Amino acid sequence: MKMTKNYKIVTQFLRDISSETPNVETYFFVKNNISNYQLVIDITSKALKNKHVEIDTIFKFRDSKENEKKSYFEMTNVTVVKIDEKITDKKELEKIILCDLQNEIYPFLEKSFLNLLHSSGFNQVEFEKKVNFEDLYNKRQN
C-alpha cells in the first residue's frame, strides 16, 4: 500500500547564504582542519493562513573543536507547503515537516550547500553520509 503525499510545496528559495573566512591565514588553517567541521541542521516552522506552513531549514557547517581560527558557513532555505485538509493530528504534521518534506528537499539543499563550500575554496568537502531524516525523527520520538 503506497501512501499518498499529504502536502504540496508551494514555493522554495534560499533566504540567506553566508561564508565567512576572516583572512588568508585562517583559510589555510581551516583547509587543513576541515575534517573537524560538522554539519548541523536546524528546522523551524511557522503556521501561515489556509493550512500553509513556512519551514526554515538551516544548514551550518561548524568546527567541532574550539579553535580561534575558524570559518563560518550557513544557509537558510525557506519552503512553504500547503498541508492536506485531512491532516489534523499534530504528530502527523510534525512528521511531514521534520521528515517527509526534508527527505524531498534534501538533494537541493545538499547541492546548494556544497556549492557554497566549494565556491569558498573548500573543494575537498563532501558529505559521505546522506542525512536520514526518518531515523532522526524516530530517535526524537523515543
Side-chain angles (χ1 to χ4, degrees), residues 6-126:
N6 41 22
Y7 66 92
K8 179 180 187 254
I9 295 176
V10 176
T11 192
Q12 176 182 355
F13 61 94
L14 295 175
R15 176 184 321 196
D16 183 32
I17 194 161
S18 178
S19 168
E20 298 170 23
T21 301
N23 53 47
V24 173
E25 191 180 327
T26 299
Y27 169 76
F28 284 117
F29 178 83
V30 172
K31 193 163 179 82
N32 291 329
N33 294 281
I34 198 78
S35 60
N36 295 331
Y37 278 61
Q38 294 180 327
L39 179 64
V40 177
I41 301 173
D42 292 322
I43 301 167
T44 60
S45 63
K46 176 170 67 176
L48 304 172
K49 294 179 183 173
N50 303 320
K51 295 288 274 187
H52 285 75
V53 180
E54 175 184 322
I55 298 107
D56 288 359
T57 306
I58 303 158
F59 277 30
K60 296 177 185 176
F61 199 52
R62 296 189 195 153
D63 192 344
S64 59
K65 300 195 179 345
E66 285 301 315
N67 289 310
E68 272 186 43
K69 295 179 187 155
K70 57 177 77 178
S71 291
Y72 178 79
F73 310 97
E74 184 173 326
M75 179 183 82
T76 302
N77 181 77
V78 176
T79 310
V80 176
V81 296
K82 178 161 179 49
I83 304 297
D84 190 306
E85 297 292 332
K86 292 177 260 175
I87 304 297
T88 55
D89 181 52
K90 190 177 176 195
K91 288 272 183 223
E92 202 171 347
L93 181 60
E94 194 176 74
K95 184 177 183 301
I96 290 169
I97 292 168
L98 297 177
C99 185
D100 302 341
L101 174 68
Q102 300 306 319
N103 280 329
E104 183 174 346
I105 65 174
Y106 181 78
F108 169 77
L109 299 180
E110 179 185 62
K111 181 178 179 238
S112 300
F113 202 60
L114 283 173
N115 283 341
L116 168 66
L117 294 169
H118 295 168
S119 297
S120 300
F122 301 95
N123 294 341
Q124 74 275 35
V125 176
E126 293 298 329

